[in-house]
Amino acid sequence: MDIQTSLLLLAAGVAGGIINALAGGATLITFPAMLAAGLPAVIANASNAVAISPGHLIAALADRGKLPPPTRRTISYVAVATVGGAVGAGVLLLLPERLFLLPVPALIAFATLLFGFAPQIQGWTVGRHKAAALPSTGASGAILGLSCIYGGFFGAGLGVILTAVLSITEPNDIRAIKALKNLLATCVSLAATLIFILQGAVRWPETLAMLLGAMVGGFAGGFLIRILPAHIVRQFVIVAGALMTVVYAARYWF
């Protein structure tokens, strides 16, 4: 890995760490950076997942006081998230490279739309939690499982999806839902990254460069959140996601 690639990944990691601290959505910056560094798409996705995975754990630990007790339901959710993350990672590694390349622009576009409409989804979540919660059903469990499989497969926008899914069945306050979401996202991420590492799908020089940048960016974001309006960061991420969608659609579809 040359110095220019190292600096690109370091800078993308810093940007991703800041973005996650302020608004979320780092994958829309970091995954394209891995592709730009010349990594094959599947390896880029796996390496990106490992590089940004500590963010989920940090978020879960930051609000651990609101984590739910280890009830039967919570344990079942954790099991679904862990299995789903592993399955998603397995599906990614089993796909031929060309079959993963085709949906890449659509995945980036989907994640960008999720991120763009996150405030409306959060508003719906608050309204949903004020109403009577629907009973947990096999259907809601299946939706949670599919969401976690997507998280292991690609992961961008997983937090928004989990928040929406949990608000349907969880009668708790919104902060408790967020804490549970962070816990489940951590399980998905850890399961997927373990599969990627064991299968040798991670390019460590690129991953470590981005991981270092993400740690610096996350630390810097803790200070910038006091002075930098989150809506500016959100607009930047949406524009970047839309641009990346166009760029990779042109590369892989035309």
Coordinates of all heavy atoms in Angstrom, one line a residue, residues 3 14-15 23 28 60 78 101 125-126 130 157 167 188 190 202 223-224 248:
I3 N 1.8 5.5 0.0 CA 1.5 6.5 0.9 C 0.3 7.3 0.6 O -0.5 7.7 1.5 CB 2.7 7.5 1.0 CG1 2.5 8.5 2.2 CG2 3.0 8.2 -0.3 CD1 2.5 7.9 3.5
V14 N -11.0 9.3 9.4 CA -11.2 10.5 10.2 C -12.6 11.1 9.9 O -13.4 11.4 10.8 CB -10.1 11.5 9.9 CG1 -10.5 12.9 10.6 CG2 -8.8 11.0 10.5
A15 N -12.9 11.2 8.6 CA -14.2 11.8 8.2 C -15.3 10.9 8.7 O -16.3 11.4 9.2 CB -14.3 11.9 6.7
A23 N -23.6 12.6 13.2 CA -24.9 12.3 12.6 C -25.1 10.8 12.1 O -26.2 10.4 11.8 CB -25.1 13.2 11.3
L28 N -21.2 5.4 4.1 CA -21.3 6.1 2.8 C -20.1 6.8 2.3 O -19.9 7.2 1.2 CB -22.5 7.1 2.8 CG -23.9 6.4 3.1 CD1 -24.9 7.5 3.3 CD2 -24.2 5.5 1.9
A60 N -22.9 1.5 22.2 CA -23.6 0.7 23.2 C -23.1 0.9 24.6 O -23.9 1.0 25.6 CB -23.5 -0.8 22.8
V78 N -30.7 -10.8 20.9 CA -29.2 -10.9 20.7 C -28.9 -12.1 19.8 O -28.0 -12.0 19.0 CB -28.6 -11.0 22.1 CG1 -27.1 -11.4 21.9 CG2 -28.7 -9.6 22.8
L101 N -21.0 -6.9 -7.2 CA -20.8 -5.6 -7.8 C -22.1 -5.0 -8.3 O -22.3 -3.8 -8.3 CB -19.8 -5.7 -9.0 CG -18.3 -6.0 -8.6 CD1 -17.5 -6.2 -9.9 CD2 -17.8 -4.8 -7.9
T125 N -40.9 6.9 14.9 CA -40.5 6.0 16.0 C -41.1 6.6 17.3 O -41.6 5.8 18.2 CB -39.0 5.8 16.1 OG1 -38.6 5.2 14.9 CG2 -38.6 5.0 17.3
V126 N -40.9 7.9 17.5 CA -41.4 8.5 18.8 C -42.9 8.4 18.8 O -43.4 8.0 19.9 CB -41.0 10.0 18.8 CG1 -41.6 10.7 20.0 CG2 -39.4 10.1 18.9
K130 N -45.2 6.1 21.7 CA -46.3 6.7 22.5 C -47.6 5.9 22.4 O -48.4 6.0 23.3 CB -46.5 8.2 22.0 CG -45.4 9.1 22.4 CD -45.6 10.5 21.9 CE -44.5 11.4 22.3 NZ -44.7 12.8 21.8
G157 N -26.9 2.0 7.1 CA -28.2 2.3 7.4 C -28.9 1.3 8.4 O -30.1 1.4 8.7
S167 N -39.2 -0.3 17.3 CA -40.2 0.6 17.8 C -41.6 0.0 17.6 O -42.6 0.4 18.2 CB -40.2 2.0 17.0 OG -40.6 1.8 15.7
V188 N -24.4 -7.8 15.5 CA -24.3 -8.0 14.1 C -22.9 -7.8 13.6 O -22.3 -8.5 12.8 CB -25.3 -7.1 13.3 CG1 -25.1 -7.1 11.8 CG2 -26.8 -7.5 13.6
L190 N -20.0 -7.6 15.3 CA -19.0 -8.5 15.8 C -19.1 -9.9 15.1 O -18.0 -10.5 14.8 CB -19.2 -8.7 17.3 CG -18.8 -7.5 18.2 CD1 -19.0 -7.7 19.6 CD2 -17.3 -7.1 17.9
V202 N -10.2 -9.9 5.0 CA -9.8 -8.6 5.4 C -8.4 -8.2 5.0 O -7.5 -9.0 5.2 CB -9.9 -8.4 7.0 CG1 -9.5 -7.0 7.4 CG2 -11.3 -8.8 7.5
F223 N -15.7 16.7 20.2 CA -15.5 18.2 20.4 C -16.3 19.0 19.3 O -16.9 20.0 19.6 CB -14.0 18.5 20.3 CG -13.2 18.0 21.4 CD1 -12.5 16.8 21.3 CD2 -13.1 18.7 22.6 CE1 -11.7 16.3 22.3 CE2 -12.4 18.2 23.7 CZ -11.7 17.0 23.5
L224 N -16.3 18.5 18.1 CA -16.9 19.2 17.0 C -18.4 19.3 17.2 O -19.1 20.2 16.7 CB -16.6 18.6 15.7 CG -15.1 18.8 15.2 CD1 -14.9 18.0 13.9 CD2 -14.8 20.3 15.0
Y248 N -20.8 4.9 -9.0 CA -20.7 3.4 -9.1 C -21.8 2.8 -10.0 O -21.6 1.8 -10.6 CB -20.7 2.8 -7.7 CG -19.5 3.1 -7.0 CD1 -19.4 4.1 -6.0 CD2 -18.3 2.4 -7.4 CE1 -18.2 4.4 -5.4 CE2 -17.1 2.7 -6.8 CZ -17.0 3.7 -5.8 OH -15.8 4.0 -5.2

